[in-house]
């Protein structure tokens, strides 16, 4: 078992699926470091299945769409009124804090907010992180995470005008959104399975996992076209799955 891994806490695209899949959330573990990456609705419940939230080192929120940020509210409530934790580092795209603030009226110092934009670099213990602005209608950042010589990239939400190539060397692991199948693209602010495969091929990714599928999309069809675009095997994320980087 690797000490650099990503566990899926939720992966439903845009809204919660009837199969009880929560929206986007991932637990990144790197040695003794634990990072909650995206806080989609339902993901906080699953986070608590995997770690004691007092062991959380930081939170990353890629953008202000509710299916990626709204469960930060749950952590705020537990940390403030249950655990008396404060100053939990939150690395969030622009507009996240402002979007969430009306829900809480006062953060009570629970979080130490850091706004991250295109090219921002942060270090969380031994994890080096670089952010890149994606092709999405609100400020959105993809994340490149490097630990112990391994490189993982999470696309967050993006349209087709962004590529993980901006992060330089080929990722060992690419977690890419794939909201639609290619012939059923409902919005240019997301990409299809085929386009996710193309992104992985152009970035020379070693492995590709698809996430954020619109709930009614056929995952097998999305995977098949991603394999065509990538030229290698592809996995579709499922809640509870853990990927060793
Ligand atoms: Zn979005």
């Amino acid at each position: 078992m690797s000490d650099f891994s990503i566990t899926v806490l939720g992966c439903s695209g845009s809204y919660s699926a009837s199969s009880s899949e929560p929206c986007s959330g991932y637990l990144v573990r790197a040695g003794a470091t634990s990072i909650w990456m995206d806080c989609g609705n339902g993901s906080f419940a699953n986070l608590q299945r995997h770690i004691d939230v007092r062991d959380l080192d930081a939170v990353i929120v890629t953008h202000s769409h509710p299916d990626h940020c709204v469960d930060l509210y749950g952590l705020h409530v537990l940390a403030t009124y249950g655990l008396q934790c404060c100053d939990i580092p939150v690395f969030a795209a622009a507009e996240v804090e402002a979007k969430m603030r009306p829900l809480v009226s006062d953060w009570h110092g629970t979080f130490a907010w850091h706004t991250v934009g295109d090219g921002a670099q942060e270090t969380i213990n031994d994890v080096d992180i670089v952010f890149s602005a994606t092709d999405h209608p609100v400020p959105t950042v993809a994340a490149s995470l490097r630990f112990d010589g391994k490189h993982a990239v999470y696309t967050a939400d993006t349209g087709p005008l962004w590529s993980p190539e901006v992060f330089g060397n080929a990722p060992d692991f690419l977690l890419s959104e794939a909201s639609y199948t290619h012939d059923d693209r409902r919005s240019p602010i997301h990409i299809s399975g085929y386009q996710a495969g193309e992104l992985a091929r152009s970035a020379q990714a070693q492995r590709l996992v698809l996430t954020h599928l619109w709930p009614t999309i056929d995952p097998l069809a999305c995977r098949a076209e991603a394999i065509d675009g990538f030229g290698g095997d592809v996995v579709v994320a499922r809640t509870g799955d853990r990927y060793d980087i």
Side-chain angles (χ1 to χ4, degrees):
M1 189 179 288
S2 166
D3 59 358
F4 187 21
S5 67
I6 293 178
T7 300
V8 181
L9 308 175
C11 54
S12 187
S14 302
Y15 68 96
S16 301
S18 59
S19 58
S20 300
E21 289 278 0
C23 286
S24 296
Y26 308 93
L27 172 60
V28 179
R29 288 189 179 104
T33 301
S34 297
I35 303 167
W36 183 18
M37 185 165 70
D38 269 350
C39 314
N41 32 309
S43 65
F44 184 53
N46 284 336
L47 177 73
Q48 296 167 82
R49 294 171 189 245
H50 295 282
I51 64 165
D52 184 325
V53 298
R54 285 171 289 206
D55 296 332
L56 206 54
D57 293 283
V59 182
I60 291 171
V61 187
T62 63
H63 65 299
S64 63
H65 283 159
D67 61 313
H68 292 257
C69 71
V70 77
D71 260 18
L72 196 57
Y73 173 81
L75 176 61
H76 162 74
V77 171
L78 174 57
T80 303
Y81 303 106
L83 304 174
Q84 284 78 47
C85 297
C86 62
D87 294 329
I88 300 169
V90 176
F91 300 91
E95 301 181 5
V96 172
E97 192 275 335
K99 179 80 78 76
M100 293 289 296
R101 196 185 318 140
L103 296 179
V104 300
S105 70
D106 185 344
W107 289 111
H108 295 290
T110 308
F111 300 133
W113 287 95
H114 305 268
T115 301
V116 289
D118 192 38
Q121 299 183 32
E122 302 285 351
T123 299
I124 302 170
N125 299 336
D126 297 329
V127 186
D128 293 319
I129 304 173
V130 180
F131 297 94
S132 172
T134 72
D135 174 24
H136 208 52
V138 299
T140 302
V141 287
S144 153
L145 305 107
R146 296 173 197 263
F147 174 76
D148 197 24
K150 294 289 187 179
H151 183 204
V153 170
Y154 170 45
T155 67
D157 282 6
T158 188
L161 301 180
W162 178 85
S163 168
E165 291 174 272
V166 298
F167 291 128
N169 70 323
D172 298 289
F173 181 87
L174 176 62
L175 179 63
S176 176
E177 82 126 280
S179 297
Y180 308 125
T181 48
H182 203 65
D183 292 335
D184 190 15
R185 282 169 290 166
R186 303 176 188 190
S187 166
I189 70 172
H190 293 292
I191 58 174
S192 67
Y194 184 76
Q195 289 170 312
E198 286 187 316
L199 284 190
R201 185 178 58 192
S202 63
Q204 299 181 290
Q206 294 295 308
R207 294 161 64 200
L208 172 61
V209 173
L210 305 180
T211 190
H212 198 277
L213 277 65
W214 185 263
T216 58
I217 290 294
D218 177 0
L220 295 178
C222 195
R223 174 175 179 260
E225 65 180 41
I227 290 171
D228 281 347
F230 181 35
D233 197 16
V234 176
V235 169
V236 176
R238 290 182 312 180
T239 299
D241 282 357
R242 167 185 166 136
Y243 306 106
D244 292 331
I245 310 301

